[in-house]
Amino acid sequence: MQTQLTSEIIDTAAGREADRILRNCVHCGFCTATCPTYQLLGDERDGPRGRIYLIKQVLEGHPATRHTQTHLDRCLTCRSCETTCPSGVDYVHLLDYGRYKVEQQVRRPWLQRWQRTLLRNFLPEPTRFKPLLRLGQWLRPVLPAKIKKQVPVVVRVLPWPEREHARQMILPGGCVQPSLAPEIDTATARVLDQLGIQPIQTGGCCGAVSHHLSATERARDYARLNIDAWWPYIEAGAEAIVSNASGCGVMLKDYAHLLHDDPAYATKAERVAHLSRDIIEVLEAEDLSNLNPATAGSRISFHAPCTLQHGQGLAGRVEALLRRTGFELLPVQNAHLCCGSAGTYSITQPKLSQQLRDNKLTALQQGSPDIIATANIGCLLHLASASDVNVKHWITLFDSGITDN
Ligand code: SF4
Ligand code: SF4
């Protein structure tokens, strides 16, 4: 498509990147067919092609309005459109820039400002989030049923492995997951240990929450803090930085882009992005004959998070590994569609989010599975809040077969 971005925009590196992305789009509209929000709302401005056009208008100097902001807010950043696009349009980086520019022009209503400030300040900080969660868990027995389902119960966690191994991998510390579902990190650590790999847990929030709430500078700060925490281990030979939350994994793989203009961190960020792996990529490369999941034979419906299948291009990989290790995988209709969790989307866009969740659960429960498995904490909690079937992270299926040494 032809563009005429303002000189103020085109004179910046980010503006030139946006221009390149816009010019790649041929406006064919193939992407609208696989966009969850377009399917629900049927409005061109709630599909990728329409959003690209809205961003183009803003970058060409047309003032952004509350309507522009609303249509961009409704985007899940699921990247299903990127998977479909025949021209390889880098939609998500254009959206990030578009949202940032719109945010500078349009003042949000006070309620939204308050909500986004709370989310930015509580979710990435375990010291603030964990006490709130513990209070919710303590009050859980007296909470109304609807809210009760949103508060996960405290689970018994198996011991963290103590053995040392010559091979080491970094497990990011994360933000909400260790408080909400500590069994996921423990299972990952125990599986790695069983494979002869020592897990080193360090670092904090990957920055994704801030990034998707248009607080890009804060996201960059989280990335720098993580790089500082991981760098000594990388220099000492850690083989990989392993994510068991696909939403974090996709962010880590984008660190090179996030910090490309920071002279102190650009090279290190590239190295971190290069070393980042989802846990499925690690397990695929290992001999798994020592892993004998006690629940093998169970009938599993797998929900592939968008950040795994579209963001990291790892569609079908977990399913293949689960089949190979003895699970029965059930077919899931419209597996490419988002479940509506999408970071903080379930809080900022509850109506759309719940519609998508309910559609997803109908598809996942169709074959009457024993377990719904997934690969991202956000999807897990979102689905579990309305599911009749137990929802688990797939890596925890393997922990059940490990005996402590
Ligand atoms: S499919 Fe790609 S090229 Fe076609 S409209 Fe969508 S983003 Fe543009
Ligand atoms: S990222 Fe997802 S919701 Fe957003 S435009 Fe693309 S397909 Fe639609």
Side-chain angles (χ1 to χ4, degrees):
M1 108 175 32
Q2 290 199 331
T3 56
Q4 287 185 318
L5 305 201
T6 64
S7 55
E8 181 208 334
I9 300 278
I10 207 74
D11 285 347
T12 65
R16 284 191 292 278
E17 184 191 29
D19 191 49
R20 271 196 304 277
I21 300 171
L22 283 168
R23 284 169 180 267
N24 270 349
C25 176
V26 294
H27 233 58
C28 63
F30 288 166
C31 51
T32 52
T34 58
C35 172
T37 53
Y38 180 76
Q39 285 186 5
L40 287 183
L41 299 164
D43 185 327
E44 174 75 13
R45 294 165 301 176
D46 289 314
R49 183 172 61 176
R51 291 185 178 118
I52 288 171
Y53 196 72
L54 289 173
I55 295 168
K56 175 178 181 283
Q57 282 188 312
V58 173
L59 302 186
E60 287 183 337
H62 301 274
T65 66
R66 271 294 294 148
H67 291 294
T68 320
Q69 194 169 51
T70 299
H71 293 298
L72 299 190
D73 280 353
R74 286 188 191 142
C75 175
L76 295 142
T77 55
C78 70
R79 299 168 76 169
S80 175
C81 49
E82 288 186 7
T83 301
T84 315
C85 175
S87 305
V89 170
D90 181 2
Y91 170 82
V92 85
H93 285 133
L94 179 67
L95 178 78
D96 287 342
Y97 187 60
R99 279 180 168 168
Y100 169 72
K101 283 293 177 195
V102 170
E103 207 70 16
Q104 289 179 328
Q105 290 184 30
V106 182
R107 188 171 163 81
R108 290 179 179 275
W110 72 267
L111 193 59
Q112 281 189 17
R113 292 203 305 272
W114 178 78
Q115 183 189 53
R116 292 165 76 91
T117 303
L118 274 185
L119 290 172
R120 278 198 297 257
N121 285 308
F122 272 84
L123 294 185
E125 297 293 340
T127 51
R128 294 175 194 157
F129 177 76
K130 198 169 176 177
L132 266 190
L133 175 70
R134 291 289 173 261
L135 180 66
Q137 287 171 324
W138 186 67
L139 292 172
R140 200 172 184 276
V142 296
L143 290 175
K146 209 171 163 191
I147 302 176
K148 196 171 178 170
K149 270 215 116 178
Q150 314 277 342
V151 182
V153 290
V154 181
V155 292
R156 190 178 71 89
V157 179
L158 293 167
W160 190 271
E162 306 257 317
R163 290 189 298 193
E164 292 190 358
H165 300 283
R167 296 181 65 193
Q168 297 187 333
M169 291 188 186
I170 296 166
L171 264 186
C175 52
V176 294
Q177 183 173 286
S179 309
L180 288 164
E183 72 277 13
I184 298 175
D185 281 346
T186 309
T188 308
R190 288 164 61 86
V191 168
L192 289 176
D193 174 65
Q194 190 75 2
L195 298 173
I197 300 164
Q198 188 179 341
I200 312 279
Q201 189 160 45
T202 181
C205 177
C206 65
V209 172
S210 311
H211 188 56
H212 294 304
L213 290 168
S214 303
T216 307
E217 211 32 67
R218 194 180 292 194
R220 283 157 60 96
D221 284 342
Y222 281 119
R224 292 182 189 106
L225 284 172
N226 279 330
I227 291 171
D228 288 344
W230 298 335
W231 199 250
Y233 298 99
I234 292 172
E235 287 197 308
E239 291 175 35
I241 301 157
V242 185
S243 293
N244 52 25
S246 56
C248 304
V250 76
M251 185 74 188
L252 299 187
K253 288 180 177 179
D254 206 34
Y255 269 15
H257 184 269
L258 189 69
L259 293 174
H260 74 279
D261 57 350
D262 181 333
Y265 281 88
T267 309
K268 289 180 176 178
E270 250 180 60
R271 179 108 179 96
V272 163
H274 179 72
L275 285 173
S276 292
R277 306 265 184 287
D278 188 88
I279 182 67
I280 182 61
E281 296 174 276
V282 175
L283 262 60
E284 281 175 334
E286 300 294 326
D287 172 8
L288 304 184
S289 52
N290 273 348
L291 295 183
N292 297 302
T295 49
S298 307
R299 304 171 81 243
I300 309 276
S301 281
F302 183 70
H303 165 59
C306 302
T307 41
L308 188 75
Q309 58 171 328
H310 303 303
Q312 299 188 58
L314 299 173
R317 307 270 283 265
V318 175
E319 295 93 317
L321 186 128
L322 290 176
R323 262 188 218 104
R324 185 153 64 85
T325 46
F327 292 93
E328 183 186 346
L329 267 287
L330 302 177
V332 178
Q333 278 187 345
N334 291 323
H336 65 283
L337 289 179
C338 179
C339 69
S341 169
T344 54
Y345 197 89
S346 58
I347 300 165
T348 56
Q349 303 284 337
K351 203 168 151 207
L352 285 171
S353 169
Q354 282 162 24
Q355 275 178 281
L356 290 165
R357 180 197 63 194
D358 294 346
N359 293 346
K360 180 59 73 180
L361 279 172
T362 303
L364 288 166
Q365 293 179 3
Q366 189 133 37
S368 304
D370 301 318
I371 298 166
I372 293 173
T374 189
N376 190 50
I377 180 70
C379 308
L380 188 158
L381 295 173
H382 188 54
L383 293 172
S385 69
S387 175
D388 299 326
V389 179
N390 195 1
V391 187
K392 294 167 84 83
H393 192 294
W394 69 269
I395 195 69
T396 62
L397 301 174
F398 288 90
D399 196 14
S400 56
I402 296 175
T403 45
D404 292 315
N405 296 288

